[in-house]
Amino acid sequence: MSSANKPRRPTAAGGDTPHPGDTPHPGDHFEGDYRPAPPPDGEPAPPTPALSNIRVEPLQIDFLHRLADALNATLDLNTLMHRVADLARAVIDFRIFAILLLNDRTNELWMRFQTGHSPETERMRIKLGRGIVGQAALHRKSILIHDVGTPGNYIEHYIEGNPIVRSELAVPLIIKNKVIGIIDIQSEYPSFFTTDHQRLLELVASRVAVAIENARLYTRVSRQAQTLTVLNEISREITSILDLDDLLERIGHLVKRVIDFQMFTILLWNERRERLEHRFSSRYGERIARERTVSLGQGIIGAAAQLREPVLAPDVRKDPRYVSENPETRSELSVPLIYKGNVIGVLDLEHTRVNYFTEDHQRTLSTLAAQVAISIANARLYQRIHEEEQRMERDLEMARQVQLRLMPPFPPTLERAEIAAKFMAARSIGGDIYDFLDYGPGRVALAVGDVSGKAAPAALYAALVSGILRSLANQHLSPAAMLAALNDQLQERKLDSQYVTMIMAVWDDSNQTLQIANAGSVQPLFVSTVQNASVPCLPTTRTKDPVPPPEPVVTSSVCVRTIHAEGFPLGLFPNVEYEEFTLSTQPGDLIVFFSDGIVDAQNAVGDMFGEERLAEVLQTQAQPTTAATAAEAILDAVAAFQSGTAHFDDETVVILRAL
């Protein structure tokens, strides 16, 4: 089990007996009672070992001191083994040296460090009981072979890795009553190693075993710390990915940072079909498309899902559960993805090497699988929410279209008046409604309302109100009577916390009068071109807390004043009566009906448009103006005031202008 090397003169320390027939030279000594055996016929005699007056015990004590210093100076396993080899060579002049460690999973010895062995020998995996080192590990005791070619104890187990090797010494590394490896030295000379060498190497092994175990523990802890750091980074990254396909692909790339797999697959559980369905696979770093479903208990993947625990197959050829998908696969690791107690999928890794995946890999992947399951569940939830939002957007768009259909497309045509209506919908459907009802020749009823609430409930309630209003239209009721009847109808269909504010007006074209009744709606404005000092106009200069002046304030030829009509909203109280007012108009006068979305519109700093700005807009309209021009000017002024700020409420303007 050694590489070919040229023989060289061995040196040894200690000993006091010269070899028979040799003439001692000054400074030449033997080690203890060691006397080299005569060489076989045809082989050169080994050089004469040197004598020494130094006793073995002081040598061992000094050596052990230096060994302790070397072992305590490092926790790096490679550095540790180099130092052990250098120290051992100082007292035992070997040329072929190896430290083999035991793989607990496979019960095989493999060379962790060596000098003098060939690459073929270094790659060997030695089962317990095979060879001298295997026997030393199996029987947990050191074995000294003086001549590997002479029949005797353990000779039948010798592995001929190097034909020039004649003697071998193998000492087990034992810690906590457990064999963790072997120190093995070999020589090309028979009887080269003595019992003193054996005892000395046993002392070395007892201390080296502890040092190796500490170094392995340190390496394992360091690797675990690095793995946890990587897992933390991976967890942070995957929680930020909400697209399921992107997430699954990214998981494949990130898992490779901690486990160098060759084939990777994610399967997700389909509740409807009750099967695991393939969602993502990569093979040697390249994404591949696969059509694959797995039922519970089928194959290693199905077993992991059914058992709800990881399944590690060191050699799939020996696992009866394995279902051949990749002929080159030799080892496989499957870990279930569990979220809130339910299996939602399986992570599966494959490799072409037998015994590739370890328990550390299993623990790492199991730790990561918990976060992966959460991320997949979040991505699925986001996907469902996104789909639901898209569906709701489609429904809302349809509802907006329906809402617009509830409003008349064109105002009625009159001889002595013109009517204009403008409606600006908010981003969501709302509850603004307006309608024109035919009251016979020369008479038309105008209704402008605002339903409480927002979105779909408000729109549905607005549709209800509009339907009732249309059903009452053929009775040609006065504004007050119409509001009372509408309130009674809504009481019969009462909904908690739902009501509607509405202003009702009936225009008589024959005498240019307007009857008005208000059920809690925004009070309309009356814009006259003839000054009337008995009714104060709205101020045109805004103050911090505006108060209507006691005397008329007229700064232009247009006077804007509020029509003070009030009443309870519809749908709140039964048996409500409403006041009614009659206005006489002159040609050019405007009656402006508007929703609270106009005066409550806000700009970026939170200021409200307000009634005073609305009055300014109406006062700056050139005379003569049209109803449509005035309505357009109001919406333009509101839009300019908001400067791109999103509309939070519907904006409705209806203007009647006497001709």
Side-chain angles (χ1 to χ4, degrees):
M1 203 176 69
S2 307
S3 300
N5 293 280
K6 287 185 178 181
R8 67 185 178 105
R9 176 184 176 87
T11 59
D16 53 11
T17 306
H19 192 283
D22 285 345
T23 303
H25 298 279
D28 289 347
H29 304 278
F30 293 113
E31 181 175 0
D33 294 329
Y34 165 56
R35 296 179 178 83
D41 294 338
E43 291 192 12
T48 303
L51 292 171
S52 175
N53 294 322
I54 303 174
R55 296 180 59 82
V56 172
E57 289 79 4
L59 173 66
Q60 291 180 354
I61 294 173
D62 177 66
F63 172 74
L64 292 177
H65 278 305
R66 287 184 286 123
L67 178 65
D69 291 340
L71 298 182
N72 293 332
T74 182
L75 285 172
D76 179 73
L77 196 55
N78 290 328
T79 303
L80 174 68
M81 293 186 175
H82 275 281
R83 291 181 178 178
V84 170
D86 291 341
L87 286 171
R89 184 182 286 111
V91 293
I92 305 175
D93 192 24
F94 61 79
R95 285 199 301 153
I96 305 174
F97 175 90
I99 296 179
L100 300 93
L101 297 182
L102 182 64
N103 186 322
D104 292 331
R105 211 157 36 87
T106 62
N107 276 332
E108 292 178 336
L109 292 163
W110 61 285
M111 287 188 183
R112 183 63 176 80
F113 175 84
Q114 65 85 20
T115 59
H117 284 288
S118 66
E120 293 77 12
T121 304
E122 184 179 11
R123 288 193 293 268
M124 291 179 65
R125 297 294 184 265
I126 304 172
K127 291 286 186 181
L128 290 182
R130 181 169 179 259
I132 303 303
V133 292
Q135 285 289 312
L138 179 65
H139 296 288
R140 306 161 61 85
K141 66 178 183 179
S142 58
I143 297 176
L144 173 59
I145 303 298
H146 291 292
D147 192 339
V148 298
T150 303
N153 292 334
Y154 302 109
I155 297 305
E156 66 274 14
H157 300 287
Y158 176 70
I159 301 173
E160 187 173 347
N162 188 338
I164 71 168
V165 170
R166 298 298 302 276
S167 57
E168 183 173 1
L169 174 59
V171 177
L173 299 169
I174 302 176
I175 183 171
K176 296 181 181 179
N177 204 31
K178 176 184 176 183
V179 174
I180 65 169
I182 296 289
I183 295 179
D184 182 69
I185 56 177
Q186 300 176 3
S187 173
E188 58 269 48
Y189 300 110
S191 301
F192 184 82
F193 304 112
T194 68
T195 55
D196 287 339
H197 291 145
Q198 183 175 351
R199 287 193 296 269
L200 188 61
L201 204 59
E202 288 172 350
L203 287 173
V204 171
S206 64
R207 287 151 180 79
V208 169
V210 175
I212 288 177
E213 191 66 14
N214 289 341
R216 293 170 83 178
L217 178 61
Y218 173 77
T219 301
R220 189 180 303 116
V221 171
S222 299
R223 188 182 299 116
Q224 288 175 351
Q226 293 173 356
T227 300
L228 289 175
T229 301
V230 174
L231 290 178
N232 184 44
E233 294 175 1
I234 292 174
S235 297
R236 288 202 307 269
E237 182 170 349
I238 63 178
T239 52
S240 64
I241 303 174
L242 294 175
D243 181 87
L244 185 58
D245 291 331
D246 292 344
L247 173 64
L248 299 180
E249 183 173 5
R250 189 59 183 153
I251 288 171
H253 293 305
L254 294 173
V255 169
K256 199 168 182 64
R257 292 179 59 185
V258 290
I259 304 176
D260 189 21
F261 58 81
Q262 290 180 338
M263 287 155 277
F264 173 83
T265 303
I266 296 180
L267 299 95
L268 299 183
W269 178 253
N270 186 318
E271 293 184 359
R272 184 175 56 84
R273 300 181 61 188
E274 294 188 344
R275 297 177 70 86
L276 289 163
E277 294 181 341
H278 172 267
R279 286 301 302 267
F280 178 83
S281 284
S282 68
R283 182 185 177 90
Y284 303 107
E286 297 294 331
R287 181 170 183 171
I288 60 174
R290 299 177 67 179
E291 294 293 335
R292 184 182 184 187
T293 59
V294 177
S295 59
L296 284 180
Q298 180 186 1
I300 292 175
I301 293 174
Q306 185 177 52
L307 298 173
R308 304 166 63 86
E309 61 184 26
V311 174
L312 175 59
D315 189 345
V316 296
R317 296 171 299 180
K318 299 178 181 179
D319 196 316
R321 298 170 297 185
Y322 179 67
V323 176
S324 181
E325 288 286 339
N326 298 310
E328 66 270 36
T329 297
R330 291 296 176 266
S331 53
E332 184 171 2
L333 173 60
S334 291
V335 176
L337 301 172
I338 300 176
Y339 178 73
K340 291 186 177 179
N342 297 318
V343 175
I344 66 170
V346 173
L347 282 178
D348 185 68
L349 306 183
E350 298 171 82
H351 204 281
T352 57
R353 189 189 305 169
V354 174
N355 295 315
Y356 179 77
F357 298 113
T358 65
E359 293 182 359
D360 285 342
H361 290 150
Q362 179 177 315
R363 284 190 293 268
T364 298
L365 196 61
S366 298
T367 302
L368 183 60
Q371 185 59 56
V372 168
I374 294 173
S375 299
I376 290 176
N378 289 342
R380 281 177 153 179
L381 178 61
Y382 172 79
Q383 189 175 33
R384 287 196 296 269
I385 292 174
H386 181 64
E387 292 172 355
E388 184 67 18
E389 285 180 344
Q390 289 182 322
R391 186 189 64 79
M392 291 181 63
E393 281 295 329
R394 292 192 297 268
D395 292 346
L396 287 174
E397 181 59 33
M398 179 60 69
R400 275 192 284 266
Q401 297 301 321
V402 172
Q403 183 183 21
L404 292 175
R405 298 300 186 274
L406 294 175
M407 302 175 187
F410 304 104
T413 301
L414 300 168
E415 291 185 6
R416 303 185 64 186
E418 63 174 358
I419 301 174
K422 292 290 183 181
F423 173 75
M424 178 67 69
R427 287 180 298 176
S428 176
I429 56 176
D432 280 11
I433 56 174
Y434 68 89
D435 208 346
F436 308 118
L437 307 176
D438 186 5
Y439 265 35
R443 298 182 74 228
V444 62
L446 297 83
V448 179
D450 187 3
V451 174
S452 62
K454 303 290 182 187
L460 290 172
Y461 199 69
L464 173 64
V465 172
S466 179
I468 296 174
L469 188 65
R470 290 289 180 95
S471 68
L472 297 173
N474 59 359
Q475 300 182 31
H476 298 175
L477 300 174
S478 67
M482 175 66 84
L483 292 178
L486 186 56
N487 184 67
D488 292 340
Q489 293 280 346
L490 292 176
Q491 284 296 310
E492 294 178 4
R493 302 163 176 82
K494 188 174 180 62
L495 294 173
D496 292 338
S497 303
Q498 284 287 64
Y499 62 89
V500 58
T501 63
M502 181 173 287
I503 191 162
M504 192 77 190
V506 176
W507 171 259
D508 191 335
D509 211 30
S510 62
N511 56 15
Q512 291 189 314
T513 59
L514 189 71
Q515 294 173 282
I516 297 179
N518 192 357
S521 185
V522 180
Q523 295 173 332
L525 298 179
F526 183 76
V527 183
S528 62
T529 56
V530 178
Q531 298 179 13
N532 186 348
S534 64
V535 181
C537 299
L538 289 176
T540 57
T541 303
R542 290 183 298 278
T543 62
K544 183 176 181 181
D545 189 13
V547 178
E551 298 296 331
V553 178
V554 181
T555 58
S556 67
S557 62
V558 177
C559 180
V560 180
R561 57 184 182 269
T562 302
I563 300 174
H564 295 284
E566 299 177 349
F568 289 108
L570 305 174
L572 288 179
F573 307 104
N575 304 319
V576 178
E577 295 183 356
Y578 295 93
E579 293 183 326
E580 189 173 294
F581 301 88
T582 301
L583 297 178
S584 297
T585 64
Q586 298 292 329
D589 289 349
L590 302 177
I591 294 89
V592 181
F593 306 92
F594 55 94
S595 66
D596 57 2
I598 296 293
V599 292
D600 292 345
Q602 294 183 354
N603 60 13
V605 296
D607 295 334
M608 298 178 67
F609 187 74
E611 194 170 308
E612 294 176 32
R613 287 188 175 87
L614 178 58
E616 286 183 359
V617 173
L618 294 172
Q619 287 177 338
T620 56
Q621 291 299 296
Q623 296 298 324
T625 187
T626 64
T629 302
E632 192 70 36
I634 292 172
L635 291 183
D636 289 345
V638 172
F641 174 77
Q642 290 177 308
S643 299
T645 304
H647 296 213
F648 69 92
D649 200 0
D650 294 343
E651 299 167 5
T652 304
V653 177
V654 177
I655 296 180
L656 183 146
R657 177 175 178 266
L659 299 177

